[in-house]
């Protein structure tokens, strides 16, 4: 990949903390990509949905701490829970797209992907009543083999994506991608904003949420994000899922050991950690942090 330079950023005023981007991928527990071999997609409509209650808890945390965030929302979820989507928007948060049915971008043809991102955008805008500018691919499934997806997003009217994760992972990742926001096709095109990493020992290490946030000690995650703010002068980008705050969710049978560990490790501690994270950093929506400085 061409070594793009990070987007230039304005330094915060003296005494002002860097605002970091808080994001949530709005999907339910049975839609997780790692569960695909165990949960038939056709069974989704019959399964117990818990996303509404979990989103209510998240919105309450954000309200207590003055956090504004970006919610990358599945069209499948929005279609079934339109009032939840309206509550997100009414609370001052950004509504963004996670596609319609949680299909990996890398598993779709160009025509299928284009239809998916356009239909999801139209559906979310119709329900939420605001422009949808951002997109995150399920499982960060844009990489070297399908960079055409970034142009498709721009053509569909999106202004930014958060779909490339610059780490090595067995399910996703593009380790040689830039660590911070960049324009893959020039400043008139789509902005790509990777999830936060720190570079240590010549390798990018995950520092922006997901299962790593539950696995690692909270103090280590906080140190890594502060390092990005202090030494790189960049906002951190954090992400998580509503099901990560839900220890009582149904547990599918037959999961392999790795998927079971990744999904459930420290899940009972997540809500408390999210509360602490909200206190320890300044947070805002992605559109305000990355688009308003353009």
């Amino acid at each position: 990949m061409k070594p793009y330079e990070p987007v230039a950023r304005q330094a915060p005023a003296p005494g002002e903390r860097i605002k970091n981007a808080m994001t949530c991928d709005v999907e339910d527990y049975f839609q997780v990509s790692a569960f695909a071999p165990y949960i038939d997609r056709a069974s989704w409509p019959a399964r117990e949905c818990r996303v509404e209650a979990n989103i209510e808890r998240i919105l309450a945390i954000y309200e207590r701490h003055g956090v504004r965030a970006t919610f990358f929302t599945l069209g499948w979820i929005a279609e079934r829970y339109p009032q939840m989507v309206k509550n997100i928007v009414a609370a001052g948060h950004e509504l963004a797209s996670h596609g319609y049915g949680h299909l990996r971008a890398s598993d779709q043809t160009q025509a299928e992907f284009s239809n998916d991102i356009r239909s999801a955008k139209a559906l979310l805008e119709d329900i939420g009543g605001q422009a949808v500018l951002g997109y995150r691919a399920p499982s960060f499934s844009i990489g070297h083999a399908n960079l055409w997806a970034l142009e498709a997003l721009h053509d569909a009217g999106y202004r930014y994506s958060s779909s490339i994760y610059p780490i090595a992972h067995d399910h996703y990742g593009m380790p040689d991608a830039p660590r911070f926001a960049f324009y893959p096709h020039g400043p008139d095109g789509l902005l790509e904003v990777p999830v936060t990493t720190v570079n240590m020992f010549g390798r990018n290490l995950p520092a922006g949420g997901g299962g790593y946030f539950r696995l690692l000690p909270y103090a280590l995650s906080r140190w890594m994000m502060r390092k990005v703010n202090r030494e790189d002068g960049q906002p951190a980008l954090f992400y998580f899922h509503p099901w990560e705050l839900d220890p009582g969710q149904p547990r599918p049978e037959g999961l392999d050991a790795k998927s079971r560990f990744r999904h459930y490790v420290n899940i009972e501690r997540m809500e408390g950690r999210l509360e602490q994270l909200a206190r320890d950093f300044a947070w805002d929506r992605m559109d305000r942090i990355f688009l308003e400085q353009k």
Side-chain angles (χ1 to χ4, degrees):
M1 173 172 234
K2 180 181 175 181
Y4 298 100
E5 292 296 323
V7 173
R9 300 198 55 79
Q10 298 175 4
E16 182 182 351
R17 292 190 295 175
I18 289 179
K19 285 189 175 180
N20 301 289
M22 175 67 77
T23 71
C24 179
D25 292 358
V26 183
E27 61 195 58
D28 223 326
Y29 66 95
F30 53 82
Q31 297 170 315
V32 174
S33 293
F35 286 1
Y38 309 97
I39 296 179
D40 186 351
R41 181 176 290 268
S43 74
W44 286 7
R47 292 187 177 270
E48 176 191 358
C49 272
R50 300 170 67 90
V51 67
E52 274 190 303
N54 292 328
I55 288 293
E56 285 181 10
R57 293 160 67 192
I58 292 165
L59 291 176
I61 292 171
Y62 289 170
E63 192 60 32
R64 283 196 293 275
H65 299 285
V67 172
R68 293 297 175 266
T70 295
F71 288 78
F72 290 99
T73 305
L74 285 181
W76 191 95
I77 293 288
E79 199 168 49
R80 286 159 176 79
Y81 302 102
Q83 188 57 53
M84 182 192 73
V85 173
K86 293 175 183 178
N87 292 343
I88 288 171
V89 173
H93 303 290
E94 180 191 10
L95 184 63
S97 171
H98 200 33
Y100 180 81
H102 210 261
L103 289 170
R104 293 175 187 248
S106 53
D107 289 342
Q108 299 180 70
T109 66
Q110 294 189 32
E112 290 169 341
F113 180 75
S114 181
N115 288 336
D116 180 85
I117 59 175
R118 289 174 184 272
S119 64
K121 188 175 192 294
L123 175 63
L124 291 167
E125 289 179 339
D126 183 56
I127 295 172
Q130 66 174 217
V132 169
L133 305 178
Y135 170 83
R136 176 173 286 154
S139 300
F140 302 103
S141 50
I142 294 179
H144 283 298
N146 63 337
L147 288 175
W148 51 260
L150 299 178
E151 294 187 62
L153 287 165
H154 185 249
D155 291 343
Y158 292 91
R159 290 189 57 195
Y160 75 86
S161 161
S162 181
S163 303
I164 295 175
Y165 204 163
I167 63 169
H169 189 280
D170 56 347
H171 289 312
Y172 53 76
M174 189 172 169
D176 58 339
R179 290 175 54 221
F180 301 113
F182 66 101
Y183 290 102
H185 302 109
D188 293 328
L190 189 82
L191 178 69
E192 175 63 33
V193 189
V195 171
T196 293
T197 58
V198 295
N199 188 267
M200 298 179 67
F201 315 112
R203 182 178 179 181
N204 292 339
L205 302 179
Y212 301 102
F213 182 70
R214 290 183 281 113
L215 174 64
L216 300 174
Y218 175 76
L220 179 57
S221 293
R222 180 177 57 194
W223 176 82
M224 289 192 291
M225 284 186 278
R226 284 178 173 170
K227 176 179 170 69
V228 167
N229 287 169
R230 182 179 62 252
E231 298 182 12
D232 296 305
Q234 293 281 342
L237 170 53
F238 182 84
Y239 85 101
F240 70 106
H241 309 84
W243 54 260
E244 292 185 88
L245 278 72
D246 186 10
Q249 64 189 266
R251 301 199 173 201
E253 296 181 357
L255 297 179
D256 65 274
K258 181 187 288 187
S259 295
R260 186 168 57 249
F261 175 77
R262 285 176 170 174
H263 191 90
Y264 299 112
V265 62
N266 289 332
I267 203 167
E268 70 283 352
R269 300 181 181 178
M270 181 64 182
E271 187 166 0
R273 290 187 177 188
L274 187 61
E275 289 263 12
Q276 187 65 49
L277 194 68
R279 289 192 292 266
D280 285 342
F281 295 87
W283 299 99
D284 207 348
R285 303 157 35 143
M286 286 196 66
D287 57 347
R288 291 177 182 160
I289 292 175
F290 296 103
L291 296 183
E292 290 184 2
Q293 288 207 15
K294 182 175 177 180

